[in-house]
Amino acid sequence: MGEFDLIARFFTRTPRAGGPVRLGVGDDCALLQASPGTQLAISSDMLVEGRHFLSTVDPARLGHKALAVNLSDLAACGATPVAFTLALALPRADARWLEPFAQGLLALADAHGCELIGGDTTQGPLNLCITVMGEVPVVDGRSQALLRSGARPGDDLYVSGTLGDARLALEVFRGTQNLPGPAFEAARARMECPTPRVALGQALRGIASAAADISDGLVGDLGHILRRSGVGASIDAERALSLLAARSGPENLGLDDDTALGLVLAGGDDYELVFTAPAAAREAVQAASRNSLTPVTRIGRIEKQPGLRLLDARGQLMDRRDESFDHFK
């Protein structure tokens, strides 16, 4: 199977009638028609075998995750997905691998109305790079995009969903942790098949003051908000511990608080949203949570003093040095 046969068989689709994609796969460029009164939001993410995923991963789940991590960036911006490109390096053109990969990829794309419009394929070590495009409304000349730079002292600090379970699954694969079967499968699903919080991001437009997606770990990704906004924050350690879903099951996992807190704060691969909102907007945040069917937890507050502080149940400062993932460390 040659390169163009591969593209035609697994990745060529007819654009939806009436949608923003005027021309998709097949020419040197795709053609998009932006909706009136919107801005384009664009983001890219790369997944490399051995660095971002294990060689044993189900290709259908890998297809899902490759797009999910990009949709998570659109979610953090409050954008509506429109289209994406796929650059794919493969050791060989293996139809038995490509078919489930394409199914997982395109099923998630269809669920979010996000069309594959082009990209590139080549032979090489397994490497996936997706560039995703979305739209955010502009109202009275002002973009409704959620940014990292809007947090203000006194704002509440929130996290969607759960944190730490994806890293817990990775530690099981590494042999540093043990989990009973059902708990491991649940954690593994969080690692291999994350849910991008697109609906929540859209629901938070006009409510959240700042947002980011949690890909490298809460400490690191919250840190982006704090630096861009010129503020600091404190986190309630007890509320943070409640975010590890694996601890809420009936099994005794043997995870001490220190280990569990490390997974939550710096585990990474969660693809949840961390966001801030004024304290006066608490009811609006809960309404956004309900409307998007996405749980959110208030875990702290934004403060004027720079830096990130972790507080125990008595409000005392905890001495921890959790660091999020860095590709070059």
Side-chain angles (χ1 to χ4, degrees):
M1 178 169 41
E3 176 184 2
F4 299 105
D5 294 328
L6 183 159
I7 293 170
R9 179 174 174 182
F10 296 106
F11 301 114
T12 299
R13 311 175 94 194
T14 302
R16 289 180 289 112
V21 179
R22 297 293 187 258
L23 181 66
V25 176
D27 275 73
D28 289 305
C29 291
L31 299 177
L32 301 180
Q33 180 65 54
S35 303
T38 65
Q39 290 179 327
L40 279 178
I42 302 172
S43 182
S44 293
D45 264 304
M46 183 184 301
L47 298 183
V48 178
E49 185 179 27
R51 186 65 170 171
H52 300 98
F53 60 91
L54 302 175
S55 61
T56 55
V57 67
D58 182 333
R61 284 190 167 188
L62 181 59
H64 172 102
K65 184 172 182 176
L67 182 56
V69 303
N70 285 269
L71 292 177
S72 184
D73 286 328
L74 290 187
C77 195
T80 299
V82 171
F84 70 101
T85 63
L86 169 66
L88 177 62
L90 290 167
R92 57 193 171 278
D94 182 355
R96 293 173 299 177
W97 187 92
L98 280 161
E99 185 168 358
F101 172 82
Q103 289 174 348
L105 176 81
L106 297 175
L108 184 62
D110 288 344
H112 289 278
C114 192
E115 299 196 46
L116 176 58
I117 59 171
D120 191 24
T121 56
T122 189
Q123 187 175 29
L126 186 56
N127 189 329
L128 321 166
C129 185
I130 284 179
T131 297
V132 71
M133 289 146 270
E135 293 179 336
V136 291
V138 177
V139 178
D140 296 330
R142 298 187 62 180
S143 172
Q144 298 299 293
L146 304 178
L147 304 177
R148 296 173 175 178
S149 55
R152 297 292 179 264
D155 283 357
D156 290 328
L157 176 62
Y158 294 88
V159 168
S160 68
T162 62
L163 302 181
D165 297 280
R167 179 56 182 269
L168 181 57
L170 178 60
E171 294 305 321
V172 173
F173 279 114
R174 288 175 169 174
T176 66
Q177 293 288 342
N178 291 298
L179 289 179
F184 171 63
E185 289 305 322
R188 183 177 184 177
R190 290 283 291 138
M191 181 179 76
E192 297 179 344
C193 205
T195 300
R197 302 302 190 179
V198 174
L200 176 62
Q202 294 171 6
L204 288 172
R205 290 194 303 239
I207 299 172
S209 51
D213 91 312
I214 304 174
S215 54
D216 296 328
L218 174 60
V219 168
D221 293 311
L222 172 58
H224 298 318
I225 291 177
L226 302 185
R227 285 188 292 273
R228 290 296 297 271
S229 298
V231 295
S234 61
I235 292 177
D236 183 322
E238 289 297 315
R239 292 185 181 182
L241 275 171
S242 72
L243 296 171
L244 185 63
R247 295 189 96 200
S248 63
E251 303 95 343
N252 179 12
L253 303 181
L255 287 175
D256 59 85
D257 285 355
D258 186 67
T259 299
L261 197 54
L263 294 171
V264 169
L265 295 176
D269 233 13
D270 301 296
Y271 301 102
E272 296 290 351
L273 298 185
V274 54
F275 64 95
T276 62
R282 288 179 184 176
E283 290 187 7
V285 169
Q286 292 306 314
S289 171
R290 292 192 299 271
N291 293 338
S292 63
L293 304 178
T294 307
V296 302
T297 303
R298 180 162 51 91
I299 63 166
R301 68 194 304 268
I302 299 299
E303 299 169 340
K304 184 177 181 179
Q305 180 186 352
L308 179 59
R309 290 160 290 280
L310 189 68
L311 306 180
D312 64 18
R314 299 173 297 168
Q316 299 298 308
L317 186 66
M318 299 175 65
D319 184 16
R320 292 184 65 97
R321 296 292 184 271
D322 297 278
E323 294 187 1
S324 291
F325 179 78
D326 187 310
H327 289 281
F328 295 97
K329 288 186 177 179

